[in-house]
Every structure is written in structure tokens, then in C-alpha cells.
Amino acid sequence: MASTEEMQKKMLKSIEEKTGLNPETIIADIRSQNLEKHNLKIKFVKEKYALSHGFANLLALKSKLTADENSKDDPIESQYKGKEHLFEIYKEISSFLLSLEGTELVPKKAYVSVKTKKQYAIVQPSTKTRIDLGLKFPKDTSIDLEPSGSFNSMVSHRIRIEQAEDFNATVKNHLEKAYELSR
């Protein structure tokens, strides 16, 4: 008989096959909703991702692990350890990104890759006081943004976010433009 951990691994793999999304992407989406009740998280997953109760329950449970438990498994929690005030900004950014149809958030060790068919942005807590949004535009795109420089070679431009107000309509428009170009 398979252990609980083995069963969960199989279920998580099945979720990725069913939705085409990394389960961590869905878990990040659940967290960004700030739902406190377990049953509301399950309802959210069932409605948005068309998953059955068992899968929704597993994802809801994974979304409420403590920071210590997540530090082993959740690279996003690890990225914001000691930068908790930036995590609130990240949740707002990730919620906006997930509202763009087909967007997937793929956690890496130091940042979150944002993609549709291909990567169009990254979200990285670069310092204790700043999140850097990296955006990928084709070389021939004329855009008035700071070049990425040595920040990250996977993106062409950078936007610095130090407080919630910095994630404004202009920044969202730039993200939407990069999103459209990635499709």
C-alpha cells in the first residue's frame, strides 16, 4: 500500500496533467485570494480549475502549511523569508498576473517565472526592501523602461517595486503588453 506522501505526489502529478499547471501555481493562486476557511479554498479550486473535491482538498491543505513546513517545499515562502512586508506586495502582483488568461507562475529558487507559452516576466525579491519585476520584450520593441542590465539575462527590462503604491496602473499596463507579446 502506498504511503500518504506517495499518494500526494501522484495526486500532484495528476493535477499538473489535468490542468497543465504546476500545482505550486495553483497553491500560490489560492494564497493570493486570502481565503481563511478551508471550504472556501476548496470551492475556489473546484470552480476555477475544474478539479474534483479530493484534488481541491489537497491543494487547499498545501496552501495553509506553516512557514517552516513551506521552507522545505515552497520556494516562494523561502524567497520572502525576512522580507514578509514584500510578500503582501507579491500577493497583489501574483493575483494580477493570474488574472491574465493562460498565465502560469513557476517558482524558481530566487524568483518566480511568469509565462504563457513562453516566459514574459519574472518577479524577484532582490533586496529586503524591493521587488524587481523583469519584463521580456523583443529587441525591436520601443519602451520607456529601465533596461535589465545585469539584473537577469532572461528579461530585457526591469521595474523596481518598493511599496504597494509602486504596483500601479502603469506597471500593470507594461505587464499586460509583455503578456500580449508572449502569446
Side-chain angles (χ1 to χ4, degrees):
M1 181 171 235
S3 71
T4 303
E5 187 175 318
E6 291 170 335
M7 294 286 286
Q8 286 184 356
K9 282 183 183 178
K10 283 183 181 180
M11 287 178 74
L12 292 171
K13 184 176 180 185
S14 182
I15 288 167
E16 189 163 5
E17 292 169 358
K18 289 176 183 295
T19 64
L21 298 171
N22 179 320
E24 285 300 321
T25 299
I26 300 172
I27 291 168
D29 191 16
I30 296 167
R31 288 183 180 137
S32 75
Q33 302 303 307
N34 294 321
L35 300 170
E36 291 185 15
K37 296 195 177 227
H38 184 73
N39 63 336
L40 294 176
K41 293 177 182 182
I42 291 172
K43 182 180 178 189
F44 170 76
V45 172
K46 289 167 106 175
E47 290 175 359
K48 182 164 183 182
Y49 297 98
L51 290 170
S52 67
H53 182 83
F55 292 119
N57 184 52
L58 175 61
L59 291 166
L61 287 171
K62 292 274 186 192
S63 75
K64 70 177 185 178
L65 294 175
T66 66
D68 288 341
E69 292 168 318
N70 279 327
S71 65
K72 297 175 196 161
D73 300 323
D74 187 350
I76 296 171
E77 291 287 333
S78 296
Q79 290 171 20
Y80 290 90
K81 191 170 188 105
K83 307 171 191 174
E84 286 77 12
H85 61 288
L86 292 177
F87 188 63
E88 293 304 313
I89 299 170
Y90 168 78
K91 288 193 296 189
E92 185 180 339
I93 293 168
S94 65
S95 180
F96 172 78
L97 290 167
L98 290 169
S99 74
L100 302 173
E101 185 179 337
T103 290
E104 180 179 0
L105 303 180
V106 183
K108 307 290 185 183
K109 185 172 183 173
Y111 62 91
V112 174
S113 174
V114 183
K115 65 182 205 157
T116 54
K117 292 179 183 173
K118 55 187 175 180
Q119 179 175 285
Y120 68 89
I122 65 170
V123 183
Q124 177 177 311
S126 297
T127 71
K128 288 188 182 265
T129 61
R130 186 183 78 239
I131 293 174
D132 284 330
L133 291 178
L135 293 100
K136 186 174 186 176
F137 290 106
K139 291 183 191 235
D140 61 347
T141 304
S142 174
I143 192 152
D144 187 26
L145 285 176
E146 174 186 356
S148 63
S150 62
F151 160 62
N152 188 305
S153 63
M154 298 296 292
V155 293
S156 59
H157 295 83
R158 169 173 46 183
I159 299 173
R160 299 169 191 251
I161 307 287
E162 294 182 347
Q163 48 196 324
E165 300 81 51
D166 294 340
F167 187 62
N168 56 35
T170 301
V171 172
K172 291 175 184 176
N173 286 336
H174 287 304
L175 281 168
E176 287 173 335
K177 185 173 183 179
Y179 162 78
E180 288 299 328
L181 291 169
S182 75
R183 297 175 58 93

